[in-house]
Amino acid sequence: MSSPVRISQKDAIAIITIDNPPVNAINPDVTQSLGARVDEAIADAGVRAVVIIGAGRNFVAGYDINEFVRIVSGEKEIDVHLGNVLDDIELAPKPVVAAMQGAALGGGLELALACHYRIAGPATQLGQPEVKLGLIPGAGGTQRLPRLIGSYRAAVMCATGAPVTAAEALDNGLIDEIVEGDLLEGALRFAAALTSPRPTRGKDQSLSTFILPKLPPKLKPLFAPNQALAAVELANRLPFAQGLIEEQRLFRECLYSNESKALVHVFLGEREVAKVPGVPKVTPEIKLAAVIGAGTMGRGIAMAYANAGVSVLLTDESPDALERAMLAIRAQYKSSASKGRMSPADANSRIERIQKAEGYAGMENANVIVEAVFEDMVLKKRVFADIDSFASHDAILATNTSSLDIDQIAAATRRPERVIGHHFFSPAQVMRLLEIVRGKATSPEVTGASLGIARILGKVGVVVGNCRGFVGNRMFHCYRREAQFLVEEGARPADVDAALVDFGMAMGPLGVGDLAGLDVGWRIRKEHRHLDDPSVRKPLIEDMLCEAGRFGQKTRAGWYRYDDERNRIDDPEVESIAAEAARRAGITRREIRADEIRDRCLCALVNEGCRILEEGIAARPVDIDMIYVTGYGFPPHRGGPMKYAELAGWRRVHDRVRELERVHGSLWQPASLLAKLAAEPAG
Ligand code: 3H9
């Protein structure tokens, strides 16, 4: 096997190249061969200076994240050798230059910090993103960085994980030069002018006057950012060698934390969901997208494509609705430009990319056609029959339905194998999730191309099967059901939402309902009422809110009241409605604690998630987790509902579900997969 680190020489300069595709991540092999090459260069009397560079687009994207999974599972030990190699570089008697391009992140930046000089290409991103994995820099970053750029800046980088650009790095002393043009040539020129190594980290700092940044509210409750601050603070209190020992201690505490296990799962999971067994990797050529239906979703989908540089034709049955949509799109882009989120020129080119179509004119050239009309099967079937009559033979025919049967829609065409669900989440130009729903006839190639489209749009595409609500909404239904029951049983809406926001959800389930509008679900429930099983408890309260004209934010009243600025106000009327709902359901209301609220809502998610896995609607737990993290505001540091259950302990979740079943009946029957997982020995 070839070594991941090679050495060559030009004039009297040794070039050590780290070549470990795809991103030159460090692992024990890289550490070992880097150490050997550094020793060689130091021992070679013909070498005056050393350049360390990465092969390909990146310098080094950090330590190999997969290794952390192996270490935490007990399969491997922590690579303690890396610290020694970095010390050897720092103490080398010849100048060592890090020449960086692309990503110089995590362990990659720590390697550069041990070098005597650092230079970078103009587009280099330099950062300590470990906190995004629930970690802190573990190879000296928290000790070397403050000594180089000052405690405050170092603490910001280590505790927020935000990278700096090459220009910022030059400004704050992190790098010595920006190299325009060929990086290796620049590095050789830079190294040739050096005569001696330079002490990399100055003196240990004096300790009384340093300020650390305050963590932003979102990071405050998290473990790793606080550990990062503590480590940087220690750099000011302790001599370097002792600081390194403390950094290791803090790093290891992070490594074994549930926060890190969850965040590493999310990093790897976002990439894993794109690899679906039996589905080929396809990179489709999407020059033109057609969007049918110019309501909120259709507009957002058109903007998502335009943002990715794809031309779009947008149409609607109603010329007025189409005109309104075009105006709204224009206004949104102009507003983004005025807020400085994009340049006016960029906003204009995005606006120009979206053209309105008369009827379906021009759509025969589209590579993908997305239907986003009302949720009405008869209408959708008619639209798909139309699409079938004009679409090119290799176009992808996508429906944005959030609940209807893909197979029935596909049956309206003569090519069901090309029909697939592209379930975008509102606002479609912002939300990262694309639920890709395969029908029974959908071809693997169309599924692969849909994953390719998600990549083009910068979204996380997750492939799921066809059932009512698919994965995300089917589970969300159970979660919101419990939230409503809890209010009927005595909790205040604000308590329900607060318990879940405290857990880390972006919004509480009732606040989400008010935002989305309560009337849509109410109409659907009324239509399907004849199918209800009278022996199964159903929430009554949301129907009662709607009967009182409380449709959510749009009517300024729903679970809460809203003022003109849409600030939420608790409303005693909701209490009376809840009391009446309890009376009708024969329930005696009681005090309900936050932990019960959290357990019931989350266990409902997990139990339904297990059923979805049993039925094969989701192929893997990670698919469910990425749907929830990227589309439903589930906190990444909890890993998604299934990872959360795994970390909490399947047995504990199962026992709680059994308890709930005893009190609340058959809705809480544990899924057989949950029972099976609970019976397995804890890993
Ligand atoms: C650390 O360094 C700890 C230290 O303090 C030392 C402790 C002792 N490891 O994102 P992409 C893979 S913690 C393993 O799709 P892009 C990735 O999974 C680490 N694999 O491409 C994917 O694999 P696949 C701190 C990694 O161009 C492929 O590379 N560093 C790693 O959009 C392409 O990735 C970070 O947190 C890794 N470190 O973005 C940086 N990085 O093809 C994390 C990437 O099989 N990485 N892969 O799906 C990134 O931010 C982005 O990947 C990067 C490239 C910007 C580098």
Side-chain angles (χ1 to χ4, degrees), residues 22-23 25 57 61-66 68 82 103 105-107 110 129-130 133 135-139 251 267 271 275:
V23 292
R57 286 194 296 137
Y63 204 80
D64 186 338
I65 295 166
N66 300 294
F68 297 136
L82 178 60
L105 298 173
E110 291 173 297
E130 287 87 345
L133 301 166
L135 297 170
I136 64 166
F251 173 80
F267 178 88
R271 289 150 182 89
K275 298 164 192 156

PDB file of all heavy atoms in Angstrom, residues 22-23 25 57 61-66 68 82 103 105-107 110 129-130 133 135-139 251 267 271 275, ligand 1:
ATOM      1  N   PRO A  22     -10.407  11.431   0.417  1.00  0.00           N
ATOM      2  CA  PRO A  22     -10.756  12.578  -0.424  1.00  0.00           C
ATOM      3  C   PRO A  22     -10.289  13.937   0.123  1.00  0.00           C
ATOM      4  O   PRO A  22     -10.212  14.882  -0.643  1.00  0.00           O
ATOM      5  CB  PRO A  22     -12.291  12.527  -0.442  1.00  0.00           C
ATOM      6  CG  PRO A  22     -12.681  11.860   0.840  1.00  0.00           C
ATOM      7  CD  PRO A  22     -11.576  10.903   1.178  1.00  0.00           C
ATOM      8  N   VAL A  23      -9.999  14.036   1.427  1.00  0.00           N
ATOM      9  CA  VAL A  23      -9.755  15.388   1.955  1.00  0.00           C
ATOM     10  C   VAL A  23      -8.485  15.459   2.805  1.00  0.00           C
ATOM     11  O   VAL A  23      -8.307  16.372   3.602  1.00  0.00           O
ATOM     12  CB  VAL A  23     -10.976  15.890   2.777  1.00  0.00           C
ATOM     13  CG1 VAL A  23     -12.183  16.134   1.898  1.00  0.00           C
ATOM     14  CG2 VAL A  23     -11.324  14.931   3.915  1.00  0.00           C
ATOM     15  N   ALA A  25      -7.602  13.715   5.334  1.00  0.00           N
ATOM     16  CA  ALA A  25      -7.829  13.634   6.789  1.00  0.00           C
ATOM     17  C   ALA A  25      -6.686  12.846   7.439  1.00  0.00           C
ATOM     18  O   ALA A  25      -6.091  11.949   6.826  1.00  0.00           O
ATOM     19  CB  ALA A  25      -9.163  12.968   7.067  1.00  0.00           C
ATOM     20  N   ARG A  57      -7.386  19.368  -3.628  1.00  0.00           N
ATOM     21  CA  ARG A  57      -7.988  20.686  -3.389  1.00  0.00           C
ATOM     22  C   ARG A  57      -7.767  21.227  -1.982  1.00  0.00           C
ATOM     23  O   ARG A  57      -7.903  22.403  -1.729  1.00  0.00           O
ATOM     24  CB  ARG A  57      -9.489  20.618  -3.661  1.00  0.00           C
ATOM     25  CG  ARG A  57      -9.813  20.549  -5.150  1.00  0.00           C
ATOM     26  CD  ARG A  57     -11.273  20.825  -5.404  1.00  0.00           C
ATOM     27  NE  ARG A  57     -12.103  19.793  -4.780  1.00  0.00           N
ATOM     28  CZ  ARG A  57     -13.222  20.047  -4.113  1.00  0.00           C
ATOM     29  NH1 ARG A  57     -13.627  21.280  -3.943  1.00  0.00           N
ATOM     30  NH2 ARG A  57     -13.929  19.062  -3.601  1.00  0.00           N
ATOM     31  N   ALA A  61      -8.316  18.362   6.019  1.00  0.00           N
ATOM     32  CA  ALA A  61      -9.649  18.723   6.557  1.00  0.00           C
ATOM     33  C   ALA A  61      -9.827  18.290   8.001  1.00  0.00           C
ATOM     34  O   ALA A  61     -10.940  18.305   8.512  1.00  0.00           O
ATOM     35  CB  ALA A  61     -10.740  18.116   5.690  1.00  0.00           C
ATOM     36  N   GLY A  62      -8.741  17.877   8.656  1.00  0.00           N
ATOM     37  CA  GLY A  62      -8.868  17.553  10.082  1.00  0.00           C
ATOM     38  C   GLY A  62      -8.566  16.104  10.344  1.00  0.00           C
ATOM     39  O   GLY A  62      -8.118  15.365   9.455  1.00  0.00           O
ATOM     40  N   TYR A  63      -8.798  15.705  11.565  1.00  0.00           N
ATOM     41  CA  TYR A  63      -8.608  14.309  11.918  1.00  0.00           C
ATOM     42  C   TYR A  63      -9.752  13.512  11.302  1.00  0.00           C
ATOM     43  O   TYR A  63     -10.855  14.042  11.093  1.00  0.00           O
ATOM     44  CB  TYR A  63      -8.581  14.149  13.453  1.00  0.00           C
ATOM     45  CG  TYR A  63      -7.835  12.901  13.834  1.00  0.00           C
ATOM     46  CD1 TYR A  63      -6.442  12.886  13.849  1.00  0.00           C
ATOM     47  CD2 TYR A  63      -8.514  11.725  14.108  1.00  0.00           C
ATOM     48  CE1 TYR A  63      -5.745  11.715  14.142  1.00  0.00           C
ATOM     49  CE2 TYR A  63      -7.829  10.561  14.405  1.00  0.00           C
ATOM     50  CZ  TYR A  63      -6.450  10.560  14.418  1.00  0.00           C
ATOM     51  OH  TYR A  63      -5.770   9.406  14.689  1.00  0.00           O
ATOM     52  N   ASP A  64      -9.519  12.245  10.988  1.00  0.00           N
ATOM     53  CA  ASP A  64     -10.533  11.417  10.333  1.00  0.00           C
ATOM     54  C   ASP A  64     -11.704  11.167  11.291  1.00  0.00           C
ATOM     55  O   ASP A  64     -11.547  10.499  12.324  1.00  0.00           O
ATOM     56  CB  ASP A  64      -9.893  10.093   9.904  1.00  0.00           C
ATOM     57  CG  ASP A  64     -10.856   9.239   9.095  1.00  0.00           C
ATOM     58  OD1 ASP A  64     -12.080   9.441   9.219  1.00  0.00           O
ATOM     59  OD2 ASP A  64     -10.382   8.373   8.351  1.00  0.00           O
ATOM     60  N   ILE A  65     -12.856  11.669  10.922  1.00  0.00           N
ATOM     61  CA  ILE A  65     -14.025  11.611  11.814  1.00  0.00           C
ATOM     62  C   ILE A  65     -14.477  10.164  12.056  1.00  0.00           C
ATOM     63  O   ILE A  65     -14.967   9.827  13.130  1.00  0.00           O
ATOM     64  CB  ILE A  65     -15.157  12.487  11.225  1.00  0.00           C
ATOM     65  CG1 ILE A  65     -14.694  13.965  11.223  1.00  0.00           C
ATOM     66  CG2 ILE A  65     -16.455  12.348  11.991  1.00  0.00           C
ATOM     67  CD1 ILE A  65     -15.532  14.903  10.391  1.00  0.00           C
ATOM     68  N   ASN A  66     -14.263   9.314  11.045  1.00  0.00           N
ATOM     69  CA  ASN A  66     -14.641   7.895  11.227  1.00  0.00           C
ATOM     70  C   ASN A  66     -13.847   7.231  12.351  1.00  0.00           C
ATOM     71  O   ASN A  66     -14.319   6.296  12.995  1.00  0.00           O
ATOM     72  CB  ASN A  66     -14.418   7.116   9.931  1.00  0.00           C
ATOM     73  CG  ASN A  66     -15.246   7.697   8.807  1.00  0.00           C
ATOM     74  OD1 ASN A  66     -16.462   7.634   8.840  1.00  0.00           O
ATOM     75  ND2 ASN A  66     -14.585   8.324   7.833  1.00  0.00           N
ATOM     76  N   PHE A  68     -13.103   8.549  15.146  1.00  0.00           N
ATOM     77  CA  PHE A  68     -13.710   8.833  16.452  1.00  0.00           C
ATOM     78  C   PHE A  68     -14.789   7.800  16.779  1.00  0.00           C
ATOM     79  O   PHE A  68     -14.942   7.382  17.922  1.00  0.00           O
ATOM     80  CB  PHE A  68     -14.312  10.247  16.489  1.00  0.00           C
ATOM     81  CG  PHE A  68     -13.278  11.326  16.309  1.00  0.00           C
ATOM     82  CD1 PHE A  68     -13.495  12.400  15.472  1.00  0.00           C
ATOM     83  CD2 PHE A  68     -12.062  11.260  16.974  1.00  0.00           C
ATOM     84  CE1 PHE A  68     -12.535  13.388  15.302  1.00  0.00           C
ATOM     85  CE2 PHE A  68     -11.096  12.251  16.815  1.00  0.00           C
ATOM     86  CZ  PHE A  68     -11.334  13.312  15.971  1.00  0.00           C
ATOM     87  N   LEU A  82       0.153  11.628  17.380  1.00  0.00           N
ATOM     88  CA  LEU A  82       0.061  12.881  16.622  1.00  0.00           C
ATOM     89  C   LEU A  82       0.710  14.051  17.377  1.00  0.00           C
ATOM     90  O   LEU A  82       1.456  14.847  16.794  1.00  0.00           O
ATOM     91  CB  LEU A  82      -1.416  13.194  16.303  1.00  0.00           C
ATOM     92  CG  LEU A  82      -1.678  14.491  15.548  1.00  0.00           C
ATOM     93  CD1 LEU A  82      -0.984  14.502  14.188  1.00  0.00           C
ATOM     94  CD2 LEU A  82      -3.189  14.713  15.356  1.00  0.00           C
ATOM     95  N   ALA A 103      -9.405  23.440   2.463  1.00  0.00           N
ATOM     96  CA  ALA A 103      -9.733  23.331   3.891  1.00  0.00           C
ATOM     97  C   ALA A 103      -8.462  23.109   4.702  1.00  0.00           C
ATOM     98  O   ALA A 103      -7.705  22.178   4.437  1.00  0.00           O
ATOM     99  CB  ALA A 103     -10.700  22.174   4.105  1.00  0.00           C
ATOM    100  N   LEU A 105      -8.526  22.649   8.329  1.00  0.00           N
ATOM    101  CA  LEU A 105      -9.504  22.615   9.416  1.00  0.00           C
ATOM    102  C   LEU A 105      -9.091  21.623  10.501  1.00  0.00           C
ATOM    103  O   LEU A 105      -8.411  20.627  10.218  1.00  0.00           O
ATOM    104  CB  LEU A 105     -10.873  22.202   8.868  1.00  0.00           C
ATOM    105  CG  LEU A 105     -11.490  23.139   7.825  1.00  0.00           C
ATOM    106  CD1 LEU A 105     -12.768  22.528   7.249  1.00  0.00           C
ATOM    107  CD2 LEU A 105     -11.793  24.510   8.431  1.00  0.00           C
ATOM    108  N   GLY A 106      -9.540  21.890  11.712  1.00  0.00           N
ATOM    109  CA  GLY A 106      -9.343  20.965  12.815  1.00  0.00           C
ATOM    110  C   GLY A 106      -7.878  20.584  12.963  1.00  0.00           C
ATOM    111  O   GLY A 106      -6.977  21.451  13.037  1.00  0.00           O
ATOM    112  N   GLY A 107      -7.610  19.272  12.954  1.00  0.00           N
ATOM    113  CA  GLY A 107      -6.237  18.781  13.064  1.00  0.00           C
ATOM    114  C   GLY A 107      -5.342  19.330  11.961  1.00  0.00           C
ATOM    115  O   GLY A 107      -4.116  19.422  12.139  1.00  0.00           O
ATOM    116  N   GLU A 110      -4.210  22.568  13.193  1.00  0.00           N
ATOM    117  CA  GLU A 110      -3.298  22.305  14.319  1.00  0.00           C
ATOM    118  C   GLU A 110      -1.917  21.897  13.814  1.00  0.00           C
ATOM    119  O   GLU A 110      -0.895  22.279  14.385  1.00  0.00           O
ATOM    120  CB  GLU A 110      -3.883  21.226  15.229  1.00  0.00           C
ATOM    121  CG  GLU A 110      -5.112  21.752  15.975  1.00  0.00           C
ATOM    122  CD  GLU A 110      -5.826  20.675  16.757  1.00  0.00           C
ATOM    123  OE1 GLU A 110      -6.325  19.721  16.114  1.00  0.00           O
ATOM    124  OE2 GLU A 110      -5.883  20.766  17.990  1.00  0.00           O
ATOM    125  N   PRO A 129     -13.200  23.606  13.601  1.00  0.00           N
ATOM    126  CA  PRO A 129     -14.644  23.341  13.639  1.00  0.00           C
ATOM    127  C   PRO A 129     -15.041  22.204  14.587  1.00  0.00           C
ATOM    128  O   PRO A 129     -16.179  21.746  14.551  1.00  0.00           O
ATOM    129  CB  PRO A 129     -14.934  22.946  12.189  1.00  0.00           C
ATOM    130  CG  PRO A 129     -13.672  22.306  11.722  1.00  0.00           C
ATOM    131  CD  PRO A 129     -12.543  22.978  12.456  1.00  0.00           C
ATOM    132  N   GLU A 130     -14.124  21.768  15.447  1.00  0.00           N
ATOM    133  CA  GLU A 130     -14.402  20.579  16.265  1.00  0.00           C
ATOM    134  C   GLU A 130     -15.710  20.670  17.039  1.00  0.00           C
ATOM    135  O   GLU A 130     -16.397  19.663  17.220  1.00  0.00           O
ATOM    136  CB  GLU A 130     -13.238  20.320  17.231  1.00  0.00           C
ATOM    137  CG  GLU A 130     -11.971  19.769  16.587  1.00  0.00           C
ATOM    138  CD  GLU A 130     -11.031  20.855  16.048  1.00  0.00           C
ATOM    139  OE1 GLU A 130     -11.459  22.017  15.901  1.00  0.00           O
ATOM    140  OE2 GLU A 130      -9.861  20.526  15.768  1.00  0.00           O
ATOM    141  N   LEU A 133     -18.687  19.028  15.949  1.00  0.00           N
ATOM    142  CA  LEU A 133     -18.729  17.577  16.156  1.00  0.00           C
ATOM    143  C   LEU A 133     -18.793  17.261  17.648  1.00  0.00           C
ATOM    144  O   LEU A 133     -18.522  16.132  18.067  1.00  0.00           O
ATOM    145  CB  LEU A 133     -17.476  16.923  15.553  1.00  0.00           C
ATOM    146  CG  LEU A 133     -17.265  17.139  14.052  1.00  0.00           C
ATOM    147  CD1 LEU A 133     -15.855  16.749  13.644  1.00  0.00           C
ATOM    148  CD2 LEU A 133     -18.284  16.333  13.265  1.00  0.00           C
ATOM    149  N   LEU A 135     -16.741  18.311  19.831  1.00  0.00           N
ATOM    150  CA  LEU A 135     -15.366  18.125  20.314  1.00  0.00           C
ATOM    151  C   LEU A 135     -14.696  19.472  20.513  1.00  0.00           C
ATOM    152  O   LEU A 135     -15.254  20.516  20.191  1.00  0.00           O
ATOM    153  CB  LEU A 135     -14.564  17.340  19.260  1.00  0.00           C
ATOM    154  CG  LEU A 135     -15.040  15.924  18.958  1.00  0.00           C
ATOM    155  CD1 LEU A 135     -14.307  15.379  17.734  1.00  0.00           C
ATOM    156  CD2 LEU A 135     -14.806  15.025  20.166  1.00  0.00           C
ATOM    157  N   ILE A 136     -13.462  19.428  20.997  1.00  0.00           N
ATOM    158  CA  ILE A 136     -12.623  20.622  20.970  1.00  0.00           C
ATOM    159  C   ILE A 136     -11.333  20.228  20.244  1.00  0.00           C
ATOM    160  O   ILE A 136     -11.058  19.034  20.078  1.00  0.00           O
ATOM    161  CB  ILE A 136     -12.305  21.151  22.393  1.00  0.00           C
ATOM    162  CG1 ILE A 136     -11.467  20.129  23.179  1.00  0.00           C
ATOM    163  CG2 ILE A 136     -13.577  21.502  23.129  1.00  0.00           C
ATOM    164  CD1 ILE A 136     -10.838  20.695  24.445  1.00  0.00           C
ATOM    165  N   PRO A 137     -10.532  21.183  19.805  1.00  0.00           N
ATOM    166  CA  PRO A 137      -9.257  20.809  19.204  1.00  0.00           C
ATOM    167  C   PRO A 137      -8.483  19.931  20.181  1.00  0.00           C
ATOM    168  O   PRO A 137      -8.407  20.245  21.366  1.00  0.00           O
ATOM    169  CB  PRO A 137      -8.559  22.154  18.981  1.00  0.00           C
ATOM    170  CG  PRO A 137      -9.691  23.140  18.875  1.00  0.00           C
ATOM    171  CD  PRO A 137     -10.740  22.636  19.821  1.00  0.00           C
ATOM    172  N   GLY A 138      -7.938  18.837  19.658  1.00  0.00           N
ATOM    173  CA  GLY A 138      -7.283  17.883  20.560  1.00  0.00           C
ATOM    174  C   GLY A 138      -5.830  17.655  20.200  1.00  0.00           C
ATOM    175  O   GLY A 138      -5.207  16.713  20.677  1.00  0.00           O
ATOM    176  N   ALA A 139      -5.294  18.486  19.333  1.00  0.00           N
ATOM    177  CA  ALA A 139      -3.879  18.324  18.964  1.00  0.00           C
ATOM    178  C   ALA A 139      -3.161  19.667  19.134  1.00  0.00           C
ATOM    179  O   ALA A 139      -2.393  20.100  18.280  1.00  0.00           O
ATOM    180  CB  ALA A 139      -3.760  17.798  17.540  1.00  0.00           C
ATOM    181  N   PHE A 251     -10.646  17.294  25.865  1.00  0.00           N
ATOM    182  CA  PHE A 251     -10.981  16.677  24.576  1.00  0.00           C
ATOM    183  C   PHE A 251     -11.630  15.305  24.797  1.00  0.00           C
ATOM    184  O   PHE A 251     -12.658  14.976  24.219  1.00  0.00           O
ATOM    185  CB  PHE A 251      -9.709  16.544  23.721  1.00  0.00           C
ATOM    186  CG  PHE A 251      -9.907  15.768  22.452  1.00  0.00           C
ATOM    187  CD1 PHE A 251     -10.474  16.367  21.343  1.00  0.00           C
ATOM    188  CD2 PHE A 251      -9.537  14.423  22.366  1.00  0.00           C
ATOM    189  CE1 PHE A 251     -10.675  15.647  20.165  1.00  0.00           C
ATOM    190  CE2 PHE A 251      -9.735  13.697  21.201  1.00  0.00           C
ATOM    191  CZ  PHE A 251     -10.300  14.313  20.091  1.00  0.00           C
ATOM    192  N   PHE A 267     -22.958  14.476  11.071  1.00  0.00           N
ATOM    193  CA  PHE A 267     -21.995  14.779  10.000  1.00  0.00           C
ATOM    194  C   PHE A 267     -21.930  13.597   9.019  1.00  0.00           C
ATOM    195  O   PHE A 267     -22.055  13.781   7.807  1.00  0.00           O
ATOM    196  CB  PHE A 267     -20.593  15.054  10.574  1.00  0.00           C
ATOM    197  CG  PHE A 267     -19.565  15.328   9.502  1.00  0.00           C
ATOM    198  CD1 PHE A 267     -19.357  16.616   9.031  1.00  0.00           C
ATOM    199  CD2 PHE A 267     -18.836  14.293   8.921  1.00  0.00           C
ATOM    200  CE1 PHE A 267     -18.433  16.866   8.008  1.00  0.00           C
ATOM    201  CE2 PHE A 267     -17.914  14.529   7.903  1.00  0.00           C
ATOM    202  CZ  PHE A 267     -17.711  15.820   7.454  1.00  0.00           C
ATOM    203  N   ARG A 271     -24.092  12.582   4.831  1.00  0.00           N
ATOM    204  CA  ARG A 271     -23.435  12.048   3.635  1.00  0.00           C
ATOM    205  C   ARG A 271     -23.896  10.623   3.345  1.00  0.00           C
ATOM    206  O   ARG A 271     -24.004  10.208   2.201  1.00  0.00           O
ATOM    207  CB  ARG A 271     -21.919  12.133   3.800  1.00  0.00           C
ATOM    208  CG  ARG A 271     -21.474  13.598   3.711  1.00  0.00           C
ATOM    209  CD  ARG A 271     -20.253  13.924   4.514  1.00  0.00           C
ATOM    210  NE  ARG A 271     -19.936  15.342   4.407  1.00  0.00           N
ATOM    211  CZ  ARG A 271     -20.411  16.282   5.222  1.00  0.00           C
ATOM    212  NH1 ARG A 271     -21.234  15.955   6.213  1.00  0.00           N
ATOM    213  NH2 ARG A 271     -20.096  17.549   5.049  1.00  0.00           N
ATOM    214  N   LYS A 275     -26.167   7.607  -0.066  1.00  0.00           N
ATOM    215  CA  LYS A 275     -25.708   6.303  -0.584  1.00  0.00           C
ATOM    216  C   LYS A 275     -26.767   5.262  -0.269  1.00  0.00           C
ATOM    217  O   LYS A 275     -26.827   4.740   0.840  1.00  0.00           O
ATOM    218  CB  LYS A 275     -24.375   5.933   0.065  1.00  0.00           C
ATOM    219  CG  LYS A 275     -23.269   6.944  -0.266  1.00  0.00           C
ATOM    220  CD  LYS A 275     -22.081   6.815   0.656  1.00  0.00           C
ATOM    221  CE  LYS A 275     -21.158   8.026   0.477  1.00  0.00           C
ATOM    222  NZ  LYS A 275     -20.327   8.296   1.633  1.00  0.00           N
TER     223      LYS A 275
HETATM  224  C1  3H9 B   1     -10.413  17.098  14.361  1.00  0.00           C
HETATM  225  O1  3H9 B   1      -9.701  17.440  13.471  1.00  0.00           O
HETATM  226  C2  3H9 B   1      -9.930  16.835  15.759  1.00  0.00           C
HETATM  227  C3  3H9 B   1      -8.549  17.361  15.945  1.00  0.00           C
HETATM  228  O2  3H9 B   1      -8.563  18.431  16.861  1.00  0.00           O
HETATM  229  C4  3H9 B   1      -7.537  16.326  16.331  1.00  0.00           C
HETATM  230  C5  3H9 B   1      -7.890  15.344  17.384  1.00  0.00           C
HETATM  231  C6  3H9 B   1      -6.780  14.427  17.834  1.00  0.00           C
HETATM  232  N1  3H9 B   1     -12.729  12.918   8.292  1.00  0.00           N
HETATM  233  O3  3H9 B   1     -18.196  17.386   2.907  1.00  0.00           O
HETATM  234  P1  3H9 B   1     -17.861  16.675   1.650  1.00  0.00           P
HETATM  235  C7  3H9 B   1     -15.242  13.146   3.852  1.00  0.00           C
HETATM  236  S1  3H9 B   1     -12.075  16.837  14.115  1.00  0.00           S
HETATM  237  C8  3H9 B   1     -13.206  11.935   7.517  1.00  0.00           C
HETATM  238  O4  3H9 B   1     -18.952  15.950   0.966  1.00  0.00           O
HETATM  239  P2  3H9 B   1     -17.071  19.199   0.496  1.00  0.00           P
HETATM  240  C9  3H9 B   1     -16.749  13.223   3.810  1.00  0.00           C
HETATM  241  O5  3H9 B   1     -17.336  12.330   4.728  1.00  0.00           O
HETATM  242  C10 3H9 B   1     -12.305  17.162  12.391  1.00  0.00           C
HETATM  243  N2  3H9 B   1     -13.857  12.152   6.366  1.00  0.00           N
HETATM  244  O6  3H9 B   1     -17.101  17.620   0.605  1.00  0.00           O
HETATM  245  C11 3H9 B   1     -17.033  12.864   2.377  1.00  0.00           C
HETATM  246  O7  3H9 B   1     -16.967  11.455   2.263  1.00  0.00           O
HETATM  247  P3  3H9 B   1     -17.831  10.679   1.174  1.00  0.00           P
HETATM  248  C12 3H9 B   1     -12.379  18.609  12.098  1.00  0.00           C
HETATM  249  C13 3H9 B   1     -14.052  13.411   6.012  1.00  0.00           C
HETATM  250  O8  3H9 B   1     -16.106  19.494  -0.573  1.00  0.00           O
HETATM  251  C14 3H9 B   1     -15.829  13.464   1.630  1.00  0.00           C
HETATM  252  O9  3H9 B   1     -14.824  13.663   2.610  1.00  0.00           O
HETATM  253  N3  3H9 B   1     -12.674  18.824  10.705  1.00  0.00           N
HETATM  254  C15 3H9 B   1     -13.586  14.492   6.775  1.00  0.00           C
HETATM  255  O10 3H9 B   1     -18.456  19.721   0.414  1.00  0.00           O
HETATM  256  C16 3H9 B   1     -16.137  14.795   0.990  1.00  0.00           C
HETATM  257  O11 3H9 B   1     -16.684  15.658   1.989  1.00  0.00           O
HETATM  258  C17 3H9 B   1     -13.911  19.025  10.236  1.00  0.00           C
HETATM  259  O12 3H9 B   1     -14.853  19.060  10.999  1.00  0.00           O
HETATM  260  C18 3H9 B   1     -12.899  14.202   7.969  1.00  0.00           C
HETATM  261  N4  3H9 B   1     -12.407  15.154   8.764  1.00  0.00           N
HETATM  262  O13 3H9 B   1     -16.495  19.730   1.886  1.00  0.00           O
HETATM  263  C19 3H9 B   1     -14.044  19.223   8.758  1.00  0.00           C
HETATM  264  N5  3H9 B   1     -13.945  15.645   6.163  1.00  0.00           N
HETATM  265  O14 3H9 B   1     -17.369  11.200  -0.155  1.00  0.00           O
HETATM  266  C20 3H9 B   1     -15.174  18.392   8.223  1.00  0.00           C
HETATM  267  C21 3H9 B   1     -14.594  15.282   5.037  1.00  0.00           C
HETATM  268  O15 3H9 B   1     -17.526   9.248   1.436  1.00  0.00           O
HETATM  269  N6  3H9 B   1     -15.272  18.426   6.781  1.00  0.00           N
HETATM  270  N7  3H9 B   1     -14.657  13.948   4.936  1.00  0.00           N
HETATM  271  O16 3H9 B   1     -19.266  11.037   1.453  1.00  0.00           O
HETATM  272  C22 3H9 B   1     -15.801  19.454   6.100  1.00  0.00           C
HETATM  273  O17 3H9 B   1     -16.147  20.474   6.656  1.00  0.00           O
HETATM  274  C23 3H9 B   1     -16.002  19.288   4.630  1.00  0.00           C
HETATM  275  O18 3H9 B   1     -16.010  17.914   4.359  1.00  0.00           O
HETATM  276  C24 3H9 B   1     -14.933  19.943   3.729  1.00  0.00           C
HETATM  277  C25 3H9 B   1     -15.170  19.497   2.261  1.00  0.00           C
HETATM  278  C26 3H9 B   1     -15.097  21.456   3.840  1.00  0.00           C
HETATM  279  C27 3H9 B   1     -13.557  19.529   4.136  1.00  0.00           C
END
